[in-house]
Amino acid sequence: MRSKTRIANSEEIEPLISGDSTSSALLEPSRPLLDRKVTVASLSILAVFVLATLVFPKQSSDAINAGFSFSAKWLGLFWQGLLLATFLCAIALALTPYAKARLGGAMKPEYGRFKWVAMIMCTLLAGGGVFWAAAEPISHYISSPPFFGTTSGDPTEAANNALGQSFVHWGFLAWAILGSLGAIVMTHAVSKGMPLRPRTLLYPVMGRRVLTSWVGTVTDVVSILAVMAGTVGPIGFLGLQVSYGLSRLFGIPNNYGTQLIIIAVLTGVAALSVSSGLSKGIQIMSRLNVWLALGLMAAVLVLGSAGYIFKSFIGGFGVYMQNFVPASLYQGDQGWVAGWTIFFFAWFLGYAPLMAIFVASISRGRSVRELILFTAVLPPIVTCFWFTVLGGTGIMFEQQNPGSISGPLASDGLPAVVMTIAEQLPFSGIIAVGFLVLTVMFVATTADSMSFSIAQSCTVKGTPQPKLRAAWALTMGVAAAVLISIGDGGISALQSFIVITAVPVGFIMLPSVFAAPVFVRRMAIEQGVVGIKDPDFVRTQ
């Protein structure tokens, strides 16, 4: 027994330069085992951040803003290039014969396609699926993005440019970094005996040494912190947004008490969902999200102007495609790029390691081509259309009645946009309540999925226990509740902190660009998808 344990914990698995025939049975769990070092470090750093923000709000804000500016200036272009390279590599890989290989071996998928896609989409969209979809296009319409320069004054051109810029932030690059190459590397490495943890993304360059190296511990901790920053922020911001909406719709006081109740309800739903597991709460919540989103999309199309929306989508998507590479890599106006493009790209990048865990957990049995198609291609197109439905409708109302949308945006901020759009549609009360419910469900689905991934990241082997998953959901809810107690400044500081946490994550995700094609080829040969033509490959197996 002792010799087997020694093999399971120290046997060398070679990285990309050699094959790997280590059996996954060596690391097959008998019971979950918590990594206390990673857990304590992650909780401690989060606690220090929250306490520093409460006790020294100005000093903390200044330090975070300085870190934000430094990170955006020196690493922004690297992140833009990394996201673009990830997408291009994924598309090229999907076009090869090797993409027929199935993740985790030749088995049937655990989840039906609708359930599978629903879990992926609802986890990635989060709160941005409603409020950013409504507010970002109108923001770019009011103030033309510097990439497009000064518009000619043509409202159609301005609308297309505004939507195109929004698509740059929420389109192909965002989805590719979250759901494609990282998940492929994670799934293949797990089949070779590696755990479902962020450190496994470094398996291509370190081999199995990353299991016991301090590099692996740091990788797990920074990945957890990045996704906590990216999730706690939306949870807290949701409390502010929904509280504003309830006040506007029903006259409920927009104060800390209301915000606290909203966060408590959201956190409770997420905790119950994640404790029930992937096959129950999370996938049920995701399906409800999708159906509600489709219903609201249909309502806005019918009650608004379907013709205008479809025309705007074609125009905006055309602008996006025409300027795809230069807009994705734009560095002209550093201040604007840091506040918009770099912020969003860093946010998505911060999610990438734990999204790789989540997508790998639910994608066994799917082909590589199917994974790429349903993460990096079709969902971004659907997301762009969703942004057009909400944001394009807001632009239409602004064109018809200047100031009708931009006025509330200027005076009351982001939450006002979706409420203002809803109020200008027939059955405005029902539509507005629907959007509030959808936003809560989107964020709850992200919270429960990421709580599962965080708990998995803290587990040396096996599936994390339900109590641990629920505890992480509650931890993020408590952090959000504490931060909004000092106003939206605490949440704003955390959102700026997202960019700082993306600094190490960018280097964690970089090996996937080079490793995924190699691993996919290996899977294809192992599964007999393609013939073996490389004698060296045969010898290493």
Side-chain angles (χ1 to χ4, degrees):
M1 182 69 177
R2 184 172 300 173
S3 62
K4 289 184 179 179
T5 302
R6 185 174 64 251
I7 292 173
N9 288 318
S10 63
E11 181 189 8
E12 235 8 88
I13 293 181
E14 294 298 328
L16 283 176
I17 57 175
S18 69
D20 186 350
S21 59
T22 302
S23 170
S24 61
L26 288 174
L27 292 182
E28 189 65 29
S30 57
R31 61 185 178 82
L33 180 62
L34 182 68
D35 189 327
R36 297 184 182 277
K37 187 182 298 184
V38 170
T39 304
V40 171
S42 302
L43 288 173
S44 299
I45 295 174
L46 177 65
V48 169
F49 175 86
V50 172
L51 288 174
T53 305
L54 285 174
V55 179
F56 307 105
K58 186 179 184 306
Q59 294 88 335
S60 299
S61 179
D62 291 343
I64 292 170
N65 288 335
F68 175 99
S69 299
F70 178 86
S71 303
K73 178 180 180 180
W74 294 105
L75 290 169
L77 184 59
F78 165 63
W79 294 336
Q80 291 170 277
L82 175 60
L83 266 65
L84 180 60
T86 299
F87 172 71
L88 295 178
C89 180
I91 296 302
L93 190 57
L95 297 176
T96 67
Y98 304 125
K100 295 180 182 179
R102 293 192 173 272
L103 300 170
M107 62 178 71
K108 292 183 178 180
E110 184 177 358
Y111 302 98
R113 180 169 292 167
F114 179 77
K115 294 179 181 178
W116 175 60
V117 174
M119 284 192 281
I120 292 174
M121 289 202 65
C122 294
T123 299
L124 298 189
L125 278 175
V130 177
F131 285 95
W132 280 116
E136 184 173 355
I138 191 66
S139 298
H140 297 323
Y141 177 78
I142 296 169
S143 178
S144 178
F147 175 81
F148 297 103
T150 304
T151 60
S152 62
D154 181 1
T156 300
E157 179 187 0
N160 291 342
N161 290 347
L163 290 169
Q165 184 65 64
S166 301
F167 299 166
V168 169
H169 298 153
W170 293 84
F172 295 115
L173 302 194
W175 284 86
I177 194 66
L178 290 168
S180 59
L181 303 186
I184 292 171
V185 170
M186 184 69 68
T187 306
H188 178 73
V190 167
S191 73
K192 300 303 178 183
M194 295 295 290
L196 270 171
R197 307 181 72 186
R199 65 180 68 195
T200 296
L201 292 167
L202 296 181
Y203 167 75
V205 292
M206 292 187 65
R208 195 163 165 194
R209 288 169 296 180
V210 76
L211 286 176
T212 54
S213 170
W214 65 269
V215 176
T217 301
V218 172
T219 298
D220 291 342
V221 171
V222 298
S223 298
I224 291 172
L225 290 175
V227 86
M228 281 199 296
T231 306
V232 171
I235 292 174
F237 197 37
L238 174 78
L240 303 176
Q241 294 168 334
V242 176
S243 178
Y244 173 88
L246 292 176
S247 175
R248 187 158 174 171
L249 289 172
F250 306 110
I252 297 175
N254 182 15
N255 54 30
Y256 181 65
T258 303
Q259 296 159 7
L260 199 60
I261 292 173
I262 294 167
I263 292 177
V265 171
L266 166 69
T267 304
V269 171
L272 289 173
S273 176
V274 72
S275 62
S276 66
L278 292 173
S279 61
K280 294 181 181 179
I282 293 178
Q283 64 96 358
I284 291 173
M285 285 276 292
S286 299
R287 282 190 292 167
L288 290 175
N289 269 1
V290 169
W291 286 118
L292 180 56
L294 290 174
L296 287 171
M297 182 188 296
V300 175
L301 284 171
V302 172
L303 300 175
S305 175
Y308 181 90
I309 295 302
F310 283 108
K311 182 180 178 181
S312 297
F313 173 70
I314 293 173
F317 203 79
V319 169
Y320 177 38
M321 290 290 93
Q322 183 180 359
N323 300 280
F324 181 68
V325 173
S328 299
L329 300 177
Y330 177 70
Q331 282 280 306
D333 187 325
Q334 287 287 325
W336 189 95
V337 170
W340 285 99
T341 305
I342 300 303
F343 168 75
F344 282 122
F345 283 6
W347 189 8
F348 301 137
L349 185 59
Y351 267 90
L354 268 66
M355 275 305 306
I357 292 174
F358 180 71
V359 174
S361 299
I362 64 175
S363 300
R364 288 185 293 270
R366 297 287 172 186
S367 71
V368 171
R369 182 171 293 134
E370 192 176 13
L371 174 72
I372 294 172
L373 179 64
F374 285 96
T375 56
V377 180
L378 295 182
I381 296 175
V382 174
T383 300
C384 291
F385 185 71
W386 172 254
F387 265 62
T388 308
V389 171
L390 289 185
T393 299
I395 291 174
M396 180 186 71
F397 288 145
E398 179 70 16
Q399 290 176 345
Q400 294 172 350
N401 183 16
S404 60
I405 306 296
S406 59
L409 173 63
S411 60
D412 297 321
L414 179 66
V417 179
V418 69
M419 291 292 101
T420 304
I421 292 173
E423 287 173 354
Q424 298 190 45
L425 293 167
F427 307 104
S428 59
I430 297 175
I431 299 296
V433 170
F435 278 124
L436 290 179
V437 172
L438 180 64
T439 305
V440 172
M441 291 178 65
F442 264 135
V443 177
T445 304
T446 300
D448 61 14
S449 302
M450 291 302 97
S451 297
F452 174 87
S453 296
I454 293 173
Q456 185 68 66
S457 301
C458 295
T459 303
V460 176
K461 61 179 181 178
T463 301
Q465 295 180 346
K467 290 182 179 180
L468 179 62
R469 303 178 220 158
W472 278 109
L474 294 174
T475 298
M476 290 191 286
V478 170
V482 173
L483 286 173
I484 67 169
S485 67
I486 59 175
D488 60 2
I491 298 300
S492 297
L494 186 61
Q495 289 184 319
S496 296
F497 188 61
I498 292 171
V499 176
I500 300 174
T501 61
V503 172
V505 174
F507 297 103
I508 294 170
M509 296 305 298
L510 181 60
S512 297
V513 178
F514 309 99
V518 176
F519 287 169
V520 169
R521 177 177 177 272
R522 287 182 181 173
M523 286 190 287
I525 295 176
E526 289 172 355
Q527 297 171 24
V529 173
V530 296
I532 301 177
K533 299 180 180 180
D534 186 353
D536 291 334
F537 181 87
V538 178
R539 287 196 298 271
T540 57
Q541 298 308 299

